[in-house]
Amino acid sequence: MMQHMLDYPAWLQLWIAWMGLVNLASVGFLRHVQARWVLGAFLAAGALMNLLYATNGFNRLLGLGHVVFWTPLVVYLWRQRPELQPGPLRAWLSAVLATNTTSLLVDYADVARYLLGDRG
């Protein structure tokens, strides 16, 4: 799967690196339950994407990994926002929300296109 991603344009490789960086930054906040949810959802999405890749190859269905695990995460984090005090945790969670929500917009479109027959 990594070989396919290395064939992406530079801007898309940077976006993927950003998603990894912002989600893996959770290890710096693990004393907070929200960070443990972010890390768990990130790892679970990656595991599902690797399974989908192993069984179906490189196609639009890979977005299902994010759809399944990041959708509930984004809802959970959105609901947590009012309780968070300004500071590093809230700033990081805002970055996670913005990043993962943006990714989900593309992922939902990709999964829908796959289900409608676009196997690219």
Side-chain angles (χ1 to χ4, degrees):
M1 188 163 60
M2 288 300 290
Q3 183 58 45
H4 286 280
M5 288 190 284
L6 291 174
D7 293 335
Y8 283 160
W11 69 267
L12 189 51
Q13 290 181 36
L14 287 171
W15 173 250
I16 292 167
W18 170 255
M19 286 192 302
L21 178 68
V22 78
N23 280 277
L24 285 174
S26 58
V27 299
F29 296 96
L30 285 179
R31 73 177 195 271
H32 302 280
V33 66
Q34 298 92 340
R36 294 191 295 271
W37 280 105
V38 171
L39 182 59
F42 179 73
L43 295 174
L48 179 54
M49 291 171 82
N50 278 302
L51 177 65
L52 290 168
Y53 177 74
T55 57
N56 298 304
F58 196 79
N59 58 45
R60 296 184 187 286
L61 191 59
L62 292 177
L64 191 61
H66 291 161
V67 168
V68 168
F69 293 104
W70 286 7
T71 300
L73 174 68
V74 163
V75 171
Y76 167 72
L77 293 178
W78 182 258
R79 290 181 176 171
Q80 295 291 306
R81 285 180 347 97
E83 300 173 16
L84 299 172
Q85 298 299 318
L89 176 65
R90 185 178 181 136
W92 167 69
L93 287 173
S94 295
V96 171
L97 269 169
T99 300
N100 291 8
T101 299
T102 301
S103 177
L104 281 172
L105 295 172
V106 175
D107 295 323
Y108 270 97
D110 277 349
V111 171
R113 288 176 65 181
Y114 181 88
L115 294 174
L116 292 171
D118 182 353
R119 301 295 193 239

